[in-house]
Amino acid sequence: MIEIRDLHKYFGTLHVLKGINLDVQKGEVLSVIGASGSGKSTLLYCINGLEPIQDGKVVVDETDVHAKGTDINKLRQKLGMVFQQWNSFPHLTALENVALAPRIVKGKSKADARDIAAQQLSHVGLGEKLDAYPGALSGGQQQRLAIARALAMEPEYMLFDEATSALDPELVGEVLETMRMLAEEGMTMICVTHEMGFARDVSDRVAFFHQGVMEEIGPPEQIFGNAQSEHTRKFLANVR
Amino acid sequence: MQPTVTFFSGFNINDLWFLGEAALRTMWISLLSISIGTVIGAIFGWILYEGKLAATLTVAPILDIFRSVPLIIQLVLFYNFAPIIGLNLDPFASGVVILTIYTASLVANVARGGIEAVGTPMRRAARSLGMTYWQDLRHVVLPIGGRAVFPAWVGVALGVMKDSALVSVLGYVELLKASQILITRTQEPFLILTLAGAFYFALSYPISRYAAALEKRWAQ
Amino acid sequence: MFDYNFHWRPVMKSLPDLIDAAFLTLQVAVLAMIIGIVIGLCLALIRLHLKGPLYWLASTWVEVARNTPALFQLFFFGFGLGAFGLHLSPYLIVLTGLSFNCAGYLAENFRGGFQALPDTQLRASRSLGMTAWQAYTRVVIPQVFRIVYHPITNQMVWAVLMSSLGMLVGFRELSGETQFFASRTFRIFEYFAITAVIYYVIVKIILAASRLLAIRLFRY
């Protein structure tokens, strides 16, 4: 379970998260929507400790992410993350991309790491591309590679940071399909997304962020059918 | 009474003058070689760009030799080769000849890069306005291409300035040779080398920083 | 044709010695490059991530290496350090001088490489639970090496050419050995001509080897 309590985040003097309170249960799929600059991506970075926070706390399975004694590298193995720019490692083949972290972070043997990697790559439909370098893959394939790379660490949570925003429109579908598959398998997911269709059909709850504040959170039917907040309705009217 | 004392005398004000004069010689030989070498190099660069196949087979490999053999070897070789063909050149003249060719071989590549940086569409546009070939070269290629490679050219020029220290191998008393002479006499290597190094640094550092700043500004 | 008789026989006789000296040249250049790469990486990382005394030390190193003549640097490690009672052997003078110089130039190349690499690569690595050290050694530095591969090759060529300065500090690498033979036989031109050819061949071999290595290393 991820518990976020009164989280404040500043970039210099810019107050980007203004006291966020949020719980995400095991097995839940949460979509986070909102205009760019509303702080939703920053939230993900704070959850896995890639950004320091100024106030409040983030607790993942009873471990305080930002506490001094926390082994952040160990904690991050639980929190798979997929970025907007897919960030595949260009100097490694698809298989090596996925096998690297299990080998050097988890200390798996070379053979085990390769088995895990091959398995995860087939899982996301890249079973044919094991020896391809990322440069030879399409954006959609690279993003699925990034998903496989995160899954190979056997995370308990997956954080998606606008995983489809940087993709050409015709490649969005295959990545969303992969994410939908993960959701159906019961993975706990927090998806920052601009894909309203995905948010409505796949998530258990949808959170709407506006200028560093979580304006509204609820089941998709509420957000998309009967939003309580003026800002939410305005935002949704504009994106449609 | 004590001749050794006068021989190993300490560093004095005359020595500073001696170093200053040598520094001027470093600047003079550099300035001369860099200016002539840049002009010749620019012409070679243009030949490399326009000549395509013929130039690639002739000029390019010759220029390449000057970039693939240590400058010090080139200097000694030329200084000893000139008398063979009946030229009696002093160390200064030999130094200028080799430093000039060396500069030209480096500038040629820079200049070609500059012309390539302008790009065919822009040159077609210039020609479509009725400019002649030379007008295009003078008013379009030179300002645009020159700007693109100016920082690289500064790098070459500063490199030649520093490499001019090697002419000392022929006996030309530029700054480093003068330092060496003084060190032998005064036995104050640290002080004298620091002075010499500071001179090079004071000349090279501001210019290289200026070029870097220009590059940054032009890149925007 | 000329009023000069070329004598190639003594040169040919000492060719084996010259080849041996060429290997010494290569050895000192390769060692200087290895030391230069390690130190250059550290200098670049210090300049990118640290402040305070270490930053100033690294910056001074880089700027002095780049803005003073290589010969000055060699002299400094030669008799400059003598002022502190530290007398290095000719071999060590050339090795330390070249390493100092290479580290300074490579540091700037590495800095450019680190800056060219998107920092999202580091983030992605850390998000997988890698430590900073693992992320740098497994993901960041291998990619930076590809970005700076060409500059490193050039620096290797420079190191070979620069090692010829050993001649001026009494080190008998290829140039020093050549001068030794030349001054004994007075066939200065012939000796230095052959040596020029040897340097040219070494440089071409390095460039060819670098190209072959690149094909093996960078399959992406």
Side-chain angles (χ1 to χ4, degrees):
Chain A
M1 175 178 182
I2 297 174
E3 300 156 81
I4 299 168
R5 291 285 168 272
D6 195 30
L7 171 63
H8 285 268
K9 167 72 192 168
Y10 293 83
F11 284 117
T13 53
L14 197 66
H15 200 171
V16 283
L17 290 176
K18 303 169 182 167
I20 306 297
N21 286 290
L22 175 65
D23 286 349
V24 180
Q25 303 294 335
K26 266 278 166 66
E28 188 181 6
V29 175
L30 173 72
S31 287
V32 182
I33 61 173
S36 46
S38 58
K40 50 197 198 311
S41 292
T42 308
L43 179 73
L44 294 190
Y45 288 119
C46 294
I47 292 176
N48 77 352
L50 283 170
E51 286 288 350
I53 63 173
Q54 278 69 42
D55 203 2
K57 63 178 173 180
V58 179
V59 179
V60 175
D61 292 345
E62 271 140 50
T63 308
D64 185 341
V65 176
H66 298 272
K68 266 220 167 107
T70 304
D71 182 350
I72 192 71
N73 296 321
K74 184 137 191 145
L75 186 70
R76 280 178 185 148
Q77 296 174 30
K78 271 192 190 178
L79 296 158
M81 179 142 187
V82 176
F83 298 83
Q84 182 177 353
Q85 314 92 340
W86 32 87
N87 293 329
S88 41
F89 303 139
H91 62 303
L92 302 176
T93 63
L95 190 72
E96 291 164 347
N97 255 280
V98 182
L100 180 65
R103 195 158 58 77
I104 68 172
V105 177
K106 286 195 146 176
K108 300 237 190 245
S109 75
K110 220 166 185 172
D112 284 353
R114 289 176 73 87
D115 286 347
I116 295 168
Q119 195 190 326
Q120 289 301 347
L121 281 167
S122 340
H123 192 48
V124 299
L126 290 174
E128 312 278 286
K129 301 282 186 186
L130 301 186
D131 295 319
Y133 283 96
L137 299 179
S138 74
Q141 289 170 328
Q142 290 198 53
Q143 193 59 298
R144 284 186 283 149
L145 167 61
I147 295 173
R149 189 172 67 181
L151 289 175
M153 297 301 288
E154 296 162 328
E156 290 169 38
Y157 305 89
M158 285 289 283
L159 312 175
F160 290 87
D161 180 19
E162 300 190 23
T164 57
S165 305
L167 292 174
D168 290 336
E170 72 272 20
L171 302 175
V172 169
E174 58 186 85
V175 174
L176 289 181
E177 211 37 61
T178 307
M179 290 168 67
R180 191 186 292 262
M181 174 184 81
L182 284 183
E184 280 163 9
E185 290 168 6
M187 174 64 76
T188 313
M189 293 161 63
I190 304 181
C191 310
V192 168
T193 186
H194 290 299
E195 295 295 330
M196 295 308 148
F198 176 86
R200 187 174 44 217
D201 299 345
V202 181
S203 8
D204 300 310
R205 281 193 300 165
V206 177
F208 171 70
F209 271 57
H210 180 70
Q211 294 178 354
V213 176
M214 190 167 73
E215 281 272 316
E216 188 167 359
I217 184 164
E221 305 80 52
Q222 174 197 326
I223 300 292
F224 291 100
N226 183 23
Q228 309 295 305
S229 150
E230 177 71 18
H231 289 132
T232 314
R233 284 195 295 272
K234 250 191 194 153
F235 173 78
L236 288 172
N238 282 331
V239 292
R240 272 188 207 145
Chain B
M1 270 177 75
Q2 287 175 305
T4 50
V5 169
T6 49
F7 185 70
F8 284 124
S9 61
F11 188 77
N12 60 42
I13 194 77
N14 286 333
D15 297 337
L16 207 56
W17 178 244
F18 179 66
L19 273 185
E21 239 182 0
L24 282 180
R25 276 197 287 270
T26 284
M27 282 173 67
W28 172 230
I29 199 169
S30 308
L31 212 62
L32 209 58
S33 313
I34 292 167
S35 344
I36 309 172
T38 298
V39 174
I40 299 176
I43 295 171
F44 278 139
W46 173 73
I47 293 174
L48 286 177
Y49 177 80
E50 287 292 335
K52 302 281 186 264
L53 189 65
T56 315
L57 293 177
T58 54
V59 181
I62 294 171
L63 292 178
D64 184 50
I65 292 174
F66 291 92
R67 293 188 298 259
S68 308
V69 172
L71 188 56
I72 198 165
I73 303 288
Q74 295 179 35
L75 287 162
V76 175
L77 207 50
F78 181 73
Y79 188 59
N80 288 283
F81 176 69
I84 297 177
I85 55 168
L87 283 171
N88 265 316
L89 296 179
D90 61 2
F92 175 77
S94 299
V96 170
V97 170
I98 286 301
L99 280 180
T100 299
I101 301 176
Y102 179 67
T103 308
S105 75
L106 294 170
V107 169
N109 271 355
V110 172
R112 179 179 49 185
I115 302 174
E116 278 165 3
V118 177
T120 319
M122 185 128 39
R123 302 193 59 185
R124 286 221 180 101
R127 294 302 291 278
S128 76
L129 294 171
M131 287 192 203
T132 66
Y133 179 83
W134 297 109
Q135 281 174 328
D136 164 46
L137 217 53
R138 160 76 186 76
H139 296 283
V140 177
V141 176
L142 190 66
I144 297 174
R147 197 177 237 229
V149 294
F150 181 74
W153 175 81
V154 170
V156 168
L158 289 177
V160 172
M161 191 274 286
K162 287 178 280 171
D163 285 341
S164 74
L166 298 184
V167 182
S168 63
V169 75
L170 306 181
Y172 182 66
V173 185
E174 45 62 67
L175 185 54
L176 267 190
K177 185 73 186 175
S179 314
Q180 217 180 348
I181 293 169
L182 278 185
I183 288 169
T184 313
R185 210 202 67 220
T186 63
Q187 296 296 308
E188 296 228 40
F190 192 75
L191 170 72
I192 293 166
L193 277 180
T194 305
L195 281 175
F199 174 80
Y200 284 109
F201 191 86
L203 204 60
S204 170
Y205 181 71
I207 297 176
S208 64
R209 286 304 287 263
Y210 176 69
L214 271 186
E215 190 173 17
K216 220 177 203 173
R217 210 170 68 205
W218 286 345
Q220 289 165 1
Chain C
M1 179 179 166
F2 304 126
D3 190 17
Y4 181 89
N5 293 313
F6 292 98
H7 288 73
W8 296 101
R9 193 179 301 257
V11 187
M12 286 309 153
K13 253 167 67 187
S14 35
L15 200 57
D17 287 324
L18 291 181
I19 304 276
D20 279 350
F23 277 106
L24 191 57
T25 284
L26 212 52
Q27 185 202 60
V28 80
V30 168
L31 277 180
M33 277 301 283
I34 294 170
I35 299 171
I37 286 173
V38 173
I39 298 179
L41 259 177
C42 297
L43 293 175
L45 287 171
I46 288 173
R47 264 160 60 95
L48 282 170
H49 297 297
L50 294 185
K51 286 184 182 126
L54 266 179
Y55 173 85
W56 290 110
L57 186 77
S59 296
T60 308
W61 183 322
V62 170
E63 298 301 352
V64 170
R66 291 164 55 87
N67 289 295
T68 60
L71 182 57
F72 160 79
Q73 292 159 26
L74 245 61
F75 278 0
F76 197 86
F77 286 106
F79 27 86
L81 289 184
F84 305 104
L86 204 60
H87 295 280
L88 303 180
S89 69
Y91 181 88
L92 276 182
I93 294 174
V94 175
L95 184 59
T96 46
L98 285 195
S99 304
F100 176 84
N101 187 280
C102 289
Y105 276 90
L106 290 169
E108 276 303 86
N109 291 326
F110 282 129
R111 196 164 74 128
F114 281 117
Q115 283 172 334
L117 195 71
D119 59 354
T120 50
Q121 286 282 319
L122 187 60
R123 285 201 146 182
S125 313
R126 297 304 301 275
S127 81
L128 290 167
M130 292 186 209
T131 61
W133 171 257
Q134 286 173 329
Y136 264 93
T137 53
R138 301 298 184 133
V139 176
V140 176
I141 292 177
Q143 291 185 61
V144 167
F145 258 97
R146 182 182 188 171
I147 300 174
V148 301
Y149 185 77
H150 193 59
I152 285 183
T153 303
N154 283 340
Q155 190 62 38
M156 178 66 211
V157 170
W158 278 114
V160 166
L161 298 184
M162 245 191 306
S163 68
S164 63
L165 301 180
M167 177 175 129
L168 300 179
V169 292
F171 181 42
R172 277 170 61 179
E173 38 62 66
L174 182 52
S175 296
E177 189 79 345
T178 306
Q179 197 196 26
F180 172 75
F181 280 119
S183 60
R184 274 208 328 197
T185 58
F186 296 102
R187 312 315 309 183
I188 300 176
F189 177 78
E190 289 88 332
Y191 268 104
F192 277 86
I194 291 297
T195 295
V197 173
I198 298 177
Y199 273 113
Y200 185 83
V201 171
I202 294 177
V203 168
K204 291 298 148 186
I205 290 174
I206 290 172
L207 292 177
S210 157
R211 224 162 278 149
L212 285 178
L213 194 63
I215 295 172
R216 260 204 56 58
L217 280 179
F218 308 124
R219 272 167 294 184
Y220 58 99

